[in-house]
Amino acid sequence: MNATQSKPSIVFCHGIWADGSCFNKVIPTLQAEGHQVIAAQYGLDSLASDVVTVKRTLGRVSSPAILVGHSYGGSVITAAGMDVITKASSWARCSARVR
């Protein structure tokens, strides 16, 4: 990565038994390394409404962006990423618990 390129943005998407705060311990570290980081906070009302929220969150960060989904969040990032392929450069699905 050269000096004119910025680091990718990161959008975290939580699982069904959590909320965006579950990423609070990793966000500051990533921000300190120069990433723009947001944890999407969606209502779990429906997959469609959660996807809309993630797309809106993607609109708040610079490109390229990495979508990271935990558990149910993996379904959300897959659906959101298909429509915003130019904005999201990577997808990651994690099943580990963030402590």
Side-chain angles (χ1 to χ4, degrees):
M1 192 175 287
N2 65 41
T4 60
Q5 288 180 307
S6 62
K7 293 190 175 188
S9 299
I10 301 169
V11 175
F12 285 109
C13 299
H14 61 83
I16 205 160
W17 301 111
D19 64 22
S21 69
C22 69
F23 300 104
N24 283 351
K25 291 187 179 181
V26 297
I27 289 174
T29 302
L30 293 167
Q31 288 173 328
E33 292 179 4
H35 297 276
Q36 182 182 11
V37 185
I38 296 178
Q41 184 63 46
Y42 38 86
L44 300 168
D45 299 318
S46 70
L47 178 60
S49 67
D50 296 342
V51 168
V52 168
T53 300
V54 171
K55 288 179 184 179
R56 190 171 44 244
T57 303
L58 271 171
R60 296 176 51 203
V61 299
S62 57
S63 292
I66 300 170
L67 286 170
V68 180
H70 170 257
S71 188
Y72 166 78
S75 297
V76 177
I77 68 169
T78 299
M82 291 295 124
D83 289 341
V84 291
I85 195 83
T86 58
K87 183 80 173 179
S89 63
S90 302
W91 294 264
R93 292 166 188 86
C94 60
S95 60
R97 183 173 169 192
V98 178
R99 289 186 172 216

